[in-house]
Amino acid sequence: MIKRALLMATAMSTAGLMGANAAQAEELTLCWAAWDPANALVELSKDFEAQSGHTMNFEFVPWPNFADRMLNELNSGGKLCDLLIGDSQWIGGGAENGHYVKLNDFFEAEGISMDDFAPATVYAYSTWPKGTPNYYALPAMGDANGWFYRKDWFENEDIRAAYMEETGQELREPETQMELMQIAKFFQEREIDGQTRYGVSIFTERGSEGITMGATGALYTWGFEYETEPGTYQMEGAVNSPEAVEALEFYKELYECCTPPGYTDSYMEQSLDAFKSGQVAMAMNWFAFFPGLYADPDVGGDKIDFFVNPPQNVPASTLGGQGISVVSYSDKQDAALEYIKWFAQPDVQAKWWELGGYSAHNSVLTDPGFEDSAPFAGDFLLAMENVKDFWQEPAYAELLLAMQKRLHDYVVADQGTAQEALDKLIEDWTEVFEDEGKL
């Protein structure tokens, strides 16, 4: 078990949190997506309420509507959210459009060091321009796209014998993307316990970000890059490289060979449902859901296990996760900053992990007991070592919609070739960056 610090702050830290603002207790609203980690944050935040005297309210929006709802709120200068746990891709727009409070002076005054957080999360969730020491969020929820599988099926002696007979190999956690497909093909339409099962549930949803978040899990492992050189916006030969074409062809084949029937518009919930209902042997989804899956009475416990996104040419995982920002339109910024200060404390971060959130704090991640603290903890560390994210540009929404269309048209609607899809994507993105004055 991880060595936990005190779960309640000391009297000194309590006094520091309450300070001069104790006489002016505020009602703060924190906005985020509606999912399991949000419930954990509600529980965690009870400590902040007790220590600070402030009251926490929460606005949680289902993932399919989260981006539209929150970005509209920010773009209109709305005052609903005092604190926002916004997606990593929003950081550029949040900074350049003045939606988020720049936190450098606050961090310096309060002794909050970004060196205390995992570098990948600081880079992705906090900085704009990327990699510069300009911070607009505190890393709040580390996350990546990973995999889980029916361990009980993989360990079944009859199934293992059949796999050996068909492939000449032991049935195991896949160590490459191609091996993942081989296993998926083996399970596709196989009868287990009197029911027809299928290989995998993957992301194919077009409306928000689903198919992009799924397909990049393959693209990144083949070596896909967004630019020939970072910061140049030169995409020819990177976005549509031979490796990228091969990876996209792989993802289409995985969709066609090995998913349940009618699996044309699936994202987080559909992937979870396919696994929980016993339809599939393996499924992709965000690490954020893994605590709930492990606790599931039907498919959790001894029946489930987890693995990091398998490499192909290189190790890579699609980045999820978010930073927490103070919204510049809030009238309660001082109290919101108190929450940031409280949340950054190592003991709070330890409890955040314990409750089901994914801390990005080094004191948690480097604890000698972390890897053994959950069956997916070690895989999470591996994933976060090699994460890649989508464009974080202010025009990210237009860039994302273009990729959603091109990928879905090719993978699901069976239009054109992978080469054509990626060539057209470059045309789409070039137009966006020209409109932005960056090309």
Side-chain angles (χ1 to χ4, degrees), residues 162-192:
Y163 187 79
M164 173 62 76
E165 183 177 351
E166 289 189 22
T167 68
Q169 298 175 2
E170 294 285 348
L171 181 58
R172 63 183 186 189
E173 293 182 4
E175 296 183 0
T176 66
Q177 293 282 320
M178 296 304 295
E179 189 174 4
L180 185 148
M181 182 184 288
Q182 177 178 286
I183 295 170
K185 287 181 176 179
F186 168 79
F187 277 105
Q188 185 71 2
E189 297 186 343
R190 180 168 295 274
E191 184 174 303
I192 300 175

Side-chain angles (χ1 to χ4, degrees), residues 200-244:
V200 291
S201 52
I202 59 175
F203 298 159
T204 61
E205 178 261 4
R206 176 172 174 170
S208 61
E209 64 175 15
I211 195 166
T212 297
M213 297 297 105
T216 49
L219 287 164
Y220 294 154
T221 66
W222 258 265
F224 174 91
E225 297 288 348
Y226 289 94
E227 302 165 282
T228 55
E229 293 291 337
T232 65
Y233 302 99
Q234 298 299 318
M235 298 167 281
E236 186 68 38
V239 169
N240 60 351
S241 69
E243 293 81 8

Side-chain angles (χ1 to χ4, degrees), residues 138-150:
L138 183 88
M141 175 73 188
D143 203 3
N145 197 14
W147 293 83
F148 41 99
Y149 65 100
R150 286 297 298 265

Side-chain angles (χ1 to χ4, degrees), residues 54 136 149 211 213 258 282 295 313 323 334 359 373 393 419:
H54 301 308
Y136 292 87
Y149 65 100
I211 195 166
M213 297 297 105
C258 305
M282 300 179 292
N313 298 331
D334 287 345
S359 173
S373 65
E393 295 286 325
Q419 184 74 62

